[in-house]
Amino acid sequence: MRLSANFTLAEFTKSQTATRKGLDNTPDEEHLANAAALFENVVQKVRENFGVTVINSGYRGPELNEKVGGSPTSQHCLGQAVDIECPGIANADIAEWITKNTDYDQVILEFYTPGIPDSGWVHVSYKDNGDNRGFALTAMKEHGRTVYKTGLIK
């Protein structure tokens, strides 16, 4: 099943942890509809602009989310979020492009190291109900803890 012209449901739900632990990572109809909206409105546009777009983390059912230590309120569990990279493109540039060219709920430049273009990844979420907040954040480690700072810190 396709979520958009260049992305399949299998790519979005693939998980080494789920495979290794024998977990079913199939989204329900609501989460599938959320995923289709995310891909049509954001991820496909990234692909059309930058080329090859790799999904690092997509849908996570509740059991998988718990096994990977995800937040219980993660938008990954609703089919509304994906972590991506585009080979050869700085993750900071991808995050910035998304903020300027798409409607989005959150863009988080995660664990990016300035001067190392392929460090970290880009988390992006989208809500199909029109309630997108347009938050741009940077996640980084400080004193061994993950902190979120407002804006894209490059």
Side-chain angles (χ1 to χ4, degrees):
M1 172 182 191
R2 292 212 162 271
L3 295 173
S4 69
N6 295 99
F7 296 95
T8 65
L9 178 61
E11 289 174 279
F12 186 55
T13 60
K14 182 179 178 180
S15 164
Q16 292 176 352
T17 301
T19 300
R20 192 170 48 252
K21 298 193 177 280
L23 304 176
D24 180 10
N25 196 42
T26 305
D28 65 22
E29 289 299 317
E30 177 184 355
H31 298 163
L32 187 57
N34 290 341
L38 167 67
F39 278 80
E40 285 295 334
N41 290 284
V42 182
V43 185
Q44 183 63 39
K45 291 177 180 182
V46 170
R47 168 69 165 76
E48 290 166 0
N49 188 71
F50 293 108
V52 174
T53 302
V54 178
I55 299 171
N56 295 336
S57 181
Y59 178 73
R60 296 194 301 246
E63 195 173 11
L64 174 59
N65 192 58
E66 182 180 327
K67 296 288 184 200
V68 300
S71 165
T73 60
S74 172
Q75 288 180 284
H76 285 277
C77 299
L78 302 173
Q80 295 176 333
V82 65
D83 297 342
I84 59 172
E85 294 183 79
C86 299
I89 308 296
N91 287 318
D93 293 343
I94 298 165
E96 183 175 35
W97 186 89
I98 291 169
T99 67
K100 292 180 177 178
N101 294 283
T102 72
D103 184 26
Y104 64 94
D105 187 51
Q106 288 188 94
V107 169
I108 307 174
L109 181 57
E110 298 204 47
F111 308 104
Y112 179 76
T113 302
I116 305 175
D118 64 348
S119 62
W121 59 89
V122 178
H123 167 98
V124 62
S125 64
Y126 178 85
K127 294 180 182 177
D128 197 29
N129 63 5
D131 195 22
N132 289 301
R133 300 170 288 176
F135 287 168
L137 305 166
T138 300
M140 60 183 65
K141 289 284 186 187
E142 286 186 353
H143 310 293
R145 297 183 57 127
T146 300
V147 296
Y148 294 87
K149 298 197 175 193
T150 302
L152 300 177
I153 300 171
K154 306 188 273 179

